[in-house]
Amino acid sequence: MNKQLTELPGVGPATLNNLHALGIFSIEDLCFHLPYSYQDRSIFTNIENLTEGEEHVVRGRVVSVQTIYRPRKMMVIKINDGSGFLNLRFFYFHPSQAKEFVKDRNVISFGKISLSKYGYELIHPEYSFDENNIIEKDFLVPTYRITKGISQKKIRAFIHNALEHYDFTEAGEDLKRYDPAFAMDLKSALTTIHLPAIDESLPELLPGGSHPARVRLMKEEMVAFQCGMIAIKEKKHKQTAYECPNEESWTKGVLRNFPFDLTNAQNRVLQEISQDLTKNIPMLRLVQGDVGSGKTMIALLACCRAIDSGTQAVMMAPTTILAEQHFLSIKALLQDNEDHIALLTGSTTARERKIILKKLADGDIKLLIGTHAVFQSDIVFKKLGLVVIDEQHRFGVNQRLSLVKKQNENNKAPHQLTLTATPIPRTLAMSIYAHMDVSVVDELPPGRSPVITSLLSKQKTSELSQRVSDAIKNGSKIYWVCPLIEESETLDLSNVEEREKELAEFLPKSIITKLHGRMKPAEKISAMEKFKTGQTKILVSTTVIEVGVDVKDADIMIIENAERFGLAQLHQLRGRVGRGEKQSYCILLHKDNLHPDSKQRLEVLKNHTDGFKVAEEDLKIRGPGEILGSQQTGIVPLKYTNLIRDSRFLESTKNIAENLTKENPATAENLVKRWLSGSIGYAEA
Ligand code: ADP
Ligand code: MG
């Protein structure tokens, strides 16, 4: 039996809370709180041999101690080791600390070296007058994710204690026969990772490295992940869903009213969806397609099929603006049936909401469109056949969770269709979303000409003013995106309020609208409407317009402080233009003196318009593992594995998971609990 956290020395109520903040609730969690980096503290470095930006241990004699008050109170200790001088600088210190630094006393300090106009410095170094406290000759010293109240030193002590108390007999030995990586037992692997011998290779131990202990742990986590996916899939297959084989008035009406032909890709994906919907097991399908590939139409036609087969459908979007837009464009395509659709968002009045709820329960509303407001617990459908989640990666964990919980009478589960523009290669997507079937919309509607993207330094903003007013005279509609809403004291970034004022100096105020997240929902919708109808020509906004917004004749996208955004996000923003006939432009305004690396990154957008290409180049520049945060991708966040960086193990671990689930389900279940207790619900949603 494993001990409780509070049985470890030094863990009182306050510390327990702090550990909880780190997601640590048990001895096991402590053992699996893995370091993200290591320090080599085995040797002293002479001051003359220090390297800026690297970590070093330095020993020297105190030369002087100064308390300086400008610009703010700080303590500076100068030390000398015979080869040079080094400053130890402290911004937070106790007066008694200053007294410890007696002239000529030997001090040992450790930290990252920085270079100022006063020479080499250590800012807030760890220090001691006893070298045994700093120097570590036998082991590399791990660094952990920590939080307020828990220092590196404390967490190291807790983890070492936890490793001693963890009951490894519960861990299961079954994995050994599936892969030689598991020959190393779990205890040795964890001990090595938490306390590697000084001669271990540091890069191999780090994320992405190939140290056997790391590979052992990572593979176990991946097997656990795959077991979890299999479990979800099996659970789904035990449920039943309404069969939706019909294409009647809803489907026919939409196709008749849609002014274009569907693309081949849209038709193919719809075919795949139709096959799923015809079955009585719940569909779980992900549709991946670049911005502008026409995913809304696919989703709508899926909804129509569900409705034509006698059930209801619901479509959920991550923002009010997007929900509203879907509602209006879908309503226009559903002329004959428009009385049977409704919009439900945070800004729906209580009275309207009550009516909608009643009609949903009666089955009078067939298609509900909205934000996560559509999944509040008091909302009851008569016969929910299909759930569509647009821009799936944008939803929080809990929101997605509450949604799958919607069940019908006789325990029928709705079919589920998720849409995303996240560009992950297809094979990767199939393994990462192993519990879903994946369809790819790999074609844009015809007649689009690629957006022309250019980079422009901020000091040339005034040149841009001329170009903007000319463009507006020629009928352009412009998005102008700023990173902030209003001026910030700490961040030197452009903001919506100020930009709006500056634009009003040379453009009529009446053609400028602003849009940001702090406006009331109704104000946002009205701003969007004005821009859409052409009443205003320039929309100054934050990134609230990033996903889904569709204004066909908008043809210029200007993004300020572009260097602050990720490439995936910039690509999404750029996807707001280039939707009509007109040649569209995207101008990435960046700060002056842009670092060459940042410039190279932005140039990826200049050179590529395909989302997959952008992602690929991003991967090359930033290195694997950094490509997209889990926030951007909606990928299950794992402790140790980055599913993109470590994708080469996806296939083999999937096979292991399949065999394990068959041959030893108890171990499979234990693995899922150990590694995914917090996130498996997440994957399910
Ligand atoms: P996304 O895949 O980014 O959600 P949308 O569904 O918003 O893309 O579609 C982008 C634009 O393309 C919309 O204005 C839509 O009306 C249009 N569109 C969709 N399908 C077609 C098609 N087959 N032919 C022409 N235009 C289309
Ligand atoms: Mg969309």
Side-chain angles (χ1 to χ4, degrees):
M1 199 37 211
N2 272 317
K3 284 197 174 187
Q4 299 292 316
L5 274 182
T6 42
E7 292 175 65
L8 292 182
V11 182
T15 304
L16 191 66
N17 270 336
N18 293 334
L19 286 171
H20 289 177
L22 286 170
I24 297 169
F25 294 88
S26 64
I27 298 267
E28 181 168 72
D29 289 342
L30 263 177
C31 294
F32 286 88
H33 190 72
L34 304 171
Y36 65 83
S37 128
Y38 299 91
Q39 301 160 346
D40 183 344
R41 299 186 178 193
S42 61
I43 45 162
F44 296 114
T45 306
N46 288 337
I47 292 174
E48 65 179 355
N49 294 331
L50 294 177
T51 313
E52 186 193 357
E54 284 185 7
E55 293 175 324
H56 292 288
V57 191
V58 180
R59 177 174 48 192
R61 279 182 311 105
V62 176
V63 178
S64 67
V65 181
Q66 276 183 295
T67 309
I68 309 173
Y69 288 89
R70 262 175 312 211
R72 54 194 269 212
K73 192 176 175 190
M74 60 178 102
M75 171 171 83
V76 183
I77 286 119
K78 192 186 276 291
I79 64 170
N80 170 264
D81 71 348
S83 79
F85 292 92
L86 174 72
N87 287 328
L88 316 181
R89 196 177 291 269
F90 297 85
F91 296 105
Y92 309 99
F93 58 97
H94 195 267
S96 66
Q97 264 176 293
K99 295 210 182 82
E100 292 179 321
F101 289 96
V102 182
K103 192 162 186 304
D104 284 338
R105 192 172 181 190
N106 254 317
V107 56
I108 298 92
S109 54
F110 173 84
K112 194 189 224 174
I113 304 295
S114 53
L115 189 59
S116 80
K117 60 181 170 183
Y118 307 108
Y120 284 126
E121 301 204 331
L122 281 174
I123 314 282
H124 275 276
E126 270 189 54
Y127 71 91
S128 176
F129 301 97
D130 174 359
E131 69 176 58
N132 294 323
N133 287 338
I134 301 278
I135 276 282
E136 178 51 77
K137 291 238 179 270
D138 300 328
F139 302 105
L140 291 168
V141 180
T143 335
Y144 297 96
R145 200 162 51 79
I146 49 172
T147 183
K148 213 175 106 228
I150 302 213
S151 63
Q152 290 293 346
K153 211 168 163 175
K154 262 194 190 169
I155 195 122
R156 269 177 222 137
F158 292 149
I159 290 172
H160 292 170
N161 248 307
L163 283 172
E164 275 171 34
H165 289 104
Y166 183 55
D167 182 358
F168 284 91
T169 54
E170 283 180 20
E173 293 281 295
D174 301 350
L175 288 170
K176 277 189 185 139
R177 66 186 144 109
Y178 294 111
D179 188 324
F182 296 110
M184 178 188 285
D185 62 46
L186 183 61
K187 181 166 188 170
S188 332
L190 281 173
T191 311
T192 306
I193 284 296
H194 285 298
L195 212 62
I198 197 80
D199 53 2
E200 295 282 11
S201 150
L202 209 148
E204 307 257 289
L205 285 164
L206 288 174
S210 56
H211 191 285
R214 171 167 273 279
V215 173
R216 158 76 176 76
L217 290 170
M218 189 184 64
K219 282 197 174 174
E220 184 176 317
E221 183 176 39
M222 287 177 97
V223 170
F225 167 73
Q226 303 280 10
C227 288
M229 296 290 118
I230 294 170
I232 293 173
K233 216 168 182 169
E234 286 185 347
K235 196 170 129 203
K236 273 279 162 202
H237 279 267
K238 285 195 192 120
Q239 295 174 315
T240 54
Y242 296 110
E243 290 163 37
C244 302
N246 303 345
E247 289 180 1
E248 300 297 338
S249 71
W250 282 67
T251 308
K252 286 174 190 159
V254 165
L255 286 174
R256 196 170 49 238
N257 294 331
F258 191 56
F260 312 103
D261 290 329
L262 295 177
T263 62
N264 290 332
Q266 282 172 317
N267 272 320
R268 178 173 41 73
V269 172
L270 270 164
Q271 191 70 36
E272 290 164 1
I273 293 170
S274 302
Q275 277 170 11
D276 291 352
L277 288 178
T278 305
K279 295 182 197 149
N280 67 353
I281 31 178
M283 166 175 80
L284 254 185
R285 184 170 287 277
L286 175 79
V287 173
Q288 247 195 326
D290 208 351
V291 261
S293 57
K295 295 185 292 295
T296 318
M297 191 59 189
I298 295 176
L300 175 59
L301 284 166
C303 291
C304 288
R305 173 179 276 266
I307 296 166
D308 281 333
S309 307
T311 70
Q312 293 162 295
V314 56
M315 189 187 286
M316 177 166 85
T319 63
T320 313
I321 296 174
L322 190 51
E324 168 91 7
Q325 176 191 289
H326 280 335
F327 179 71
L328 292 174
S329 62
I330 287 174
K331 200 165 146 183
L333 292 171
L334 275 174
Q335 285 147 7
D336 313 332
N337 293 307
E338 64 176 357
D339 294 342
H340 302 287
I341 72 172
L343 173 71
L344 185 66
T345 67
S347 58
T348 307
T349 63
R351 237 186 79 222
E352 279 174 83
R353 187 171 185 278
K354 216 170 145 190
I355 299 172
I356 293 176
L357 258 60
K358 181 163 183 311
K359 287 187 172 177
L360 279 172
D362 291 349
D364 194 25
I365 291 177
K366 307 283 186 206
L367 175 58
L368 181 67
I369 296 166
T371 53
H372 58 273
V374 300
F375 284 106
Q376 274 142 0
S377 54
D378 59 338
I379 297 179
V380 181
F381 293 83
K382 185 167 186 217
K383 201 175 173 187
L384 182 60
L386 171 67
V387 171
V388 176
I389 308 166
D390 193 15
E391 308 288 351
Q392 164 249 24
H393 58 284
R394 276 313 185 108
F395 285 99
V397 182
N398 295 333
Q399 291 166 5
R400 284 200 262 155
L401 213 56
S402 60
L403 178 150
V404 265
K405 298 231 170 85
K406 285 276 160 195
Q407 295 273 353
N408 293 292
E409 313 154 335
N410 4 331
N411 226 12
K412 293 246 189 209
H415 295 285
Q416 190 178 314
L417 183 67
T418 23
L419 313 177
T420 182
T422 303
I424 318 169
R426 184 190 162 99
T427 46
L428 202 53
M430 290 201 312
S431 314
I432 289 175
Y433 301 107
H435 61 305
M436 295 202 244
D437 297 304
V438 181
S439 297
V440 183
V441 199
D442 51 6
E443 181 187 358
L444 292 179
R448 305 259 173 95
S449 52
V451 179
I452 297 175
T453 303
S454 55
L455 274 54
L456 193 68
S457 173
K458 183 144 188 157
Q459 62 190 355
K460 299 202 177 130
T461 314
S462 55
E463 276 175 32
L464 192 58
S465 311
Q466 190 56 47
R467 203 172 144 193
V468 163
S469 52
D470 289 349
I472 287 177
K473 276 187 206 122
N474 289 324
S476 279
K477 266 194 197 173
I478 304 174
Y479 290 104
W480 193 306
V481 177
C482 305
L484 302 180
I485 298 176
E486 53 191 33
E487 195 170 345
S488 149
E489 278 184 20
T490 46
L491 295 168
D492 180 23
L493 296 175
S494 80
N495 64 81
V496 171
E497 299 289 347
E498 192 183 302
R499 179 54 60 207
E500 188 203 17
K501 274 196 210 113
E502 284 181 22
L503 286 170
E505 282 167 20
F506 67 94
L507 292 171
K509 209 174 168 169
S510 60
I511 63 160
I512 309 169
T513 339
K514 66 181 173 196
L515 180 66
H516 58 71
R518 246 185 262 151
M519 284 159 55
K520 297 206 183 76
E523 291 173 346
K524 286 191 221 167
I525 288 167
S526 131
M528 210 54 232
E529 256 328 278
K530 281 186 188 156
F531 184 60
K532 199 160 188 166
T533 55
Q535 201 180 329
T536 59
K537 304 291 181 198
I538 180 159
L539 187 72
V540 186
S541 126
T542 54
T543 53
V544 285
I545 56 141
E546 179 186 334
V547 287
V549 170
D550 184 39
V551 176
K552 268 224 156 43
D553 54 351
D555 56 344
I556 299 180
M557 166 64 69
I558 297 168
I559 306 170
E560 289 203 60
N561 293 110
E563 74 279 358
R564 300 281 301 206
F565 297 104
L567 285 189
Q569 199 177 7
L570 290 171
H571 178 68
Q572 279 276 349
L573 282 168
R574 176 173 62 178
R576 299 309 117 218
V577 296
R579 298 183 159 231
E581 314 270 273
K582 269 207 257 171
Q583 175 59 57
S584 295
Y585 299 89
C586 172
I587 297 149
L588 303 174
L589 272 177
H590 58 77
K591 65 173 190 186
D592 309 326
N593 308 321
L594 190 63
H595 191 276
D597 290 351
S598 308
K599 182 149 191 189
Q600 190 197 357
R601 206 166 62 86
L602 292 181
E603 274 174 351
V604 169
L605 284 168
K606 187 167 139 186
N607 300 330
H608 299 280
T609 51
D610 175 335
F612 285 91
K613 272 272 162 1
V614 171
E616 221 175 272
E617 292 296 317
D618 201 14
L619 184 81
K620 275 190 215 150
I621 293 177
R622 289 205 274 172
E626 308 250 337
I627 169 173
L628 302 149
S630 58
Q631 228 194 336
Q632 280 286 325
T633 53
I635 294 172
V636 184
L638 298 181
K639 287 190 217 279
Y640 205 47
T641 308
N642 178 314
L643 288 172
I644 294 180
R645 178 193 63 212
D646 302 319
S647 59
R648 63 190 183 284
F649 298 119
L650 278 167
E651 253 336 284
S652 63
T653 50
K654 190 174 177 179
N655 291 336
I656 297 175
E658 277 164 4
N659 290 329
L660 193 68
T661 305
K662 263 187 240 129
E663 292 159 15
N664 201 337
T667 303
E669 205 176 310
N670 272 338
L671 284 183
V672 174
K673 274 203 206 111
R674 172 185 297 158
W675 289 96
L676 300 170
S677 51
S679 52
I680 192 72
Y682 180 57
E684 200 165 347

